[in-house]
Amino acid sequence: MSTRTTLLDTDALFHLPEAWQLEAADSLIAKMTDKTAKFPCIPAVQGHALKHFRYGFLNLSRYSIEEASGELASLLHEYGLHSREYGNYTSLVVMIHTGKDGDGRNGVEYYERLFWALLSRATAYDPQPWPESIPDEPSHHLWEFCYGGEPYFVYCGTPAHEKRRSRHFPCMMLAFTPRWVLRQFNAKARQAQRTKKLIRERLEAYDAVPPHPDLNLYGQEDNYEWKQYFLDDSAESPIRCPFVRIHREVRQ
């Protein structure tokens, strides 16, 4: 596992060494603090404001997909060790420079393939077994991505998203939110219900298309978490989950 990539806190975003990193950080800050077009995910806005987020940067123009997956695994490993120290609204935000961002020839499909490749290959570096409480097949309604024994909800934003503005970002961006964060949010049922209603209203105002039909609640039998990780601009979704877990014992 690589040790070149380390976690950064919010204050470090103002002192980044590369132009693309500064541009990505500025765009994230602008999106999270916009008072006119309010980002729909209220807990994410709170997490950023409270400085509970941790950040990482990957440059795919320098790494192979295998190296980038190792870098992502390093970030997940370090984050998982200390996530409970960062605050109740924490997430790991990973910004990725592909070297092709802004290139009109690379549509949503390009980033979708890259997203699932990174998630799948990162599991080859996982030092922990898959949690017994989480099914290992994405076709099960309780499945979710896990690393280091920790289940995560994963969000992906890309430069190719146009109509679904809530999924648009100048570079590819992943956000990993631990399941324990979501459990704490849902523990206060009435407050959580009000917040979810407001999130839905913001989402309808923010995007140029209706909320994706795959957006649902974890645990419901008609819900599949993987379908929500990467949303298309349209209302379509893959029939089968592209994620393939790679076991450490068979990794080359």
Side-chain angles (χ1 to χ4, degrees):
M1 187 183 299
S2 172
T3 58
R4 288 179 291 173
T5 303
T6 57
L7 290 181
L8 302 174
D9 61 19
T10 301
D11 293 336
L13 296 183
F14 299 96
H15 307 285
L16 295 166
E18 298 187 41
W20 79 267
Q21 295 174 334
L22 284 167
E23 180 184 353
D26 288 346
S27 296
L28 177 70
I29 293 169
K31 186 178 282 284
M32 293 293 106
T33 58
D34 193 329
K35 301 300 183 184
T36 303
K38 297 181 179 179
F39 188 70
C41 186
I42 296 169
V45 173
Q46 291 175 306
H48 175 267
L50 293 169
K51 299 184 178 182
H52 291 182
F53 283 3
R54 290 300 180 270
Y55 303 89
F57 293 84
L58 301 179
N59 191 338
L60 270 174
S61 66
R62 296 177 181 172
Y63 304 151
S64 67
I65 184 67
E66 187 64 35
E67 290 173 322
S69 301
E71 296 292 318
L72 177 60
S74 292
L75 289 168
L76 284 164
H77 176 73
E78 186 178 352
Y79 177 77
L81 291 176
H82 304 286
S83 64
R84 286 170 173 79
E85 303 168 14
Y86 300 143
N88 291 338
Y89 292 93
T90 187
S91 290
L92 168 62
V93 177
V94 182
M95 297 180 230
I96 304 170
H97 179 51
T98 66
K100 301 177 181 180
D101 299 329
D103 187 339
R105 293 174 297 177
N106 294 289
V108 173
E109 296 80 7
Y110 163 78
Y111 290 100
E112 185 175 17
R113 291 193 300 270
L114 179 56
F115 169 75
W116 289 112
L118 287 169
L119 248 59
S120 296
R121 296 187 185 205
T123 60
Y125 299 89
D126 193 347
Q128 300 294 327
W130 197 262
E132 293 183 3
S133 60
I134 304 296
D136 59 6
E137 289 296 331
S139 57
H140 195 286
H141 68 280
L142 293 178
W143 180 91
E144 53 189 332
F145 177 76
C146 299
Y147 193 93
E150 189 75 68
Y152 291 96
F153 180 84
V154 190
Y155 159 101
C156 183
T158 81
H161 282 85
E162 297 177 353
K163 297 178 182 179
R164 207 170 295 283
R165 186 182 172 195
S166 57
R167 295 285 175 142
H168 177 82
F169 201 69
C171 69
M172 187 177 187
M173 181 178 72
L174 311 182
F176 296 83
T177 303
R179 176 54 53 185
W180 65 263
V181 169
L182 301 173
R183 288 196 197 100
Q184 289 190 160
F185 169 75
N186 287 309
K188 298 178 180 178
R190 289 185 179 179
Q191 179 179 333
Q193 191 64 31
R194 288 195 298 268
T195 303
K196 289 174 184 177
K197 183 176 182 294
L198 184 54
I199 290 172
R200 190 80 175 189
E201 292 172 355
R202 283 194 183 187
L203 190 61
E204 291 173 353
Y206 201 82
D207 289 349
V209 290
H212 199 285
D214 286 332
L215 291 177
N216 211 329
L217 301 176
Y218 177 70
Q220 292 187 350
E221 291 192 5
D222 60 347
N223 174 68
Y224 298 96
E225 289 291 278
W226 65 268
K227 289 190 175 186
Q228 302 180 59
Y229 290 177
F230 193 105
L231 298 179
D232 198 290
D233 263 348
S234 71
E236 298 179 357
S237 60
I239 298 175
R240 184 175 300 173
C241 181
F243 175 80
V244 178
R245 181 184 167 208
I246 303 176
H247 298 272
R248 297 184 74 234
E249 61 269 23
V250 300
R251 180 170 63 87
Q252 298 300 317

